[in-house]
Amino acid sequence: MLRTALVSAAMLLACCASAGPLVAQDRLTFEMHPGDRSDVELRVERNAGRENRNNWSQSLPLSDLDGLTRDAFERGGPVQFRLIRPAGTLACAGTGHDHRADGNCALTPDPTFADRLASRGIARPDRDQSFALTMSGVSLDVLDSLRAEGWATPSLDEVVQLGIFHITADLVRGFARAGYKGGAIETLVAFKIHGVTSEAIRDYAALGYEGLGQENLLAFRIHRVTPDYVRSMRALGLRGLTPRR
């Protein structure tokens, strides 16, 4: 079940596989256009050779792109910005035109981030992984919360997944308060993919489903057995339902 749940993560992670800072043969380009309200749709492609190309697309608040203003898309001309993340900084320059912008980027990995990964028992990132870690936006505090709450030490690819799915230290601590500590990182990612929240866990407990195992909890969410659904079944006189029926 968990392997199936992580297919979407695998699709997003077409980006990791070489050590040290990004070197000359790594070419980074960007395209962007305004999104809704104060967001920007940003796509960054990394080309490190014929068989090593990957890209990252995401919607970001305009405020995350230091030096960029919305009128850059309107007036055209030179565009410069920086995306500053815990794992590194992406500095880009290009041209705005036709309500969009494109150009080239340079990535500077933060060596302190790599040192801190190593101090937590996680491998140092190679060039591809430095790009993925930066773009995912993952921060180190979530790694400390995982250790404190008994979860497995993540691999580098799993660290990237934590950033992709916005798994934060607060989220991990919330699960711990709801009684869910420890386990594989893929379980935690599956929780986020399928909408398992500490609030939902408490609602299930109030309905008599306290201490659901991680597999049963995921099965409830995958099959849309929400707390509201359980309440509606009870209103129809169906009581004593178990996770198996």
Side-chain angles (χ1 to χ4, degrees):
M1 179 185 298
L2 295 183
R3 192 173 301 278
T4 300
L6 292 174
V7 167
S8 59
M11 292 174 65
L12 284 171
L13 286 171
C15 53
C16 303
S18 341
L22 300 187
V23 293
Q25 65 265 30
D26 296 319
R27 182 167 183 262
L28 294 170
T29 59
F30 78 91
E31 297 177 2
M32 68 164 62
H33 60 84
D36 297 334
R37 299 179 182 176
S38 60
D39 289 346
V40 171
E41 302 296 328
L42 174 66
R43 179 178 183 273
V44 179
E45 179 174 306
R46 175 173 176 263
N47 184 351
R50 182 179 302 175
E51 297 182 1
N52 190 358
R53 300 181 63 171
N54 44 78
N55 64 76
W56 202 282
S57 298
Q58 55 188 291
S59 179
L60 297 169
L62 181 64
S63 58
D64 280 7
L65 302 176
D66 182 42
L68 185 69
T69 60
R70 184 165 285 270
D71 69 349
F73 300 104
E74 306 293 337
R75 58 176 166 74
V79 170
Q80 288 187 330
F81 64 89
R82 293 188 305 161
L83 177 63
I84 303 171
R85 292 284 177 77
T89 297
L90 187 74
C92 302
T95 304
H97 56 92
D98 303 317
H99 301 284
R100 58 188 293 270
D102 51 38
N104 298 303
C105 301
L107 176 64
T108 304
D110 186 340
T112 302
F113 189 89
D115 291 343
R116 291 177 177 174
L117 287 178
S119 73
R120 289 162 172 79
I122 302 170
R124 291 180 178 274
D126 61 28
R127 295 193 301 273
D128 293 346
Q129 291 161 336
S130 290
F131 173 66
L133 288 164
T134 299
M135 297 307 297
S136 77
V138 67
S139 61
L140 293 168
D141 59 348
V142 67
L143 303 181
D144 294 334
S145 68
L146 291 173
R147 176 181 290 182
E149 305 303 348
W151 293 89
T153 299
S155 67
L156 276 171
D157 283 352
E158 287 174 332
V159 175
V160 174
Q161 291 177 32
L162 296 173
I164 289 173
F165 293 106
H166 307 292
I167 296 172
T168 64
D170 285 344
L171 189 74
V172 174
R173 288 191 286 264
F175 284 136
R177 289 192 295 270
Y180 287 80
K181 294 185 176 186
I185 299 301
E186 66 175 5
T187 299
L188 189 59
V189 172
F191 276 7
K192 188 63 185 291
I193 290 172
H194 291 292
V196 176
T197 64
S198 55
E199 293 80 5
I201 292 170
R202 286 192 288 270
D203 285 346
Y204 286 128
L207 291 165
Y209 297 102
E210 190 170 7
L212 283 172
Q214 293 174 346
E215 290 282 351
N216 283 331
L217 185 56
L218 277 169
F220 268 36
R221 302 303 297 183
I222 289 169
H223 297 291
R224 301 181 182 179
V225 183
T226 64
D228 284 344
Y229 176 83
V230 175
R231 294 186 190 101
S232 67
M233 291 297 98
R234 289 186 175 181
L236 294 173
L238 295 175
R239 295 179 176 273
L241 297 175
T242 70
R244 296 300 178 188
R245 67 183 184 95

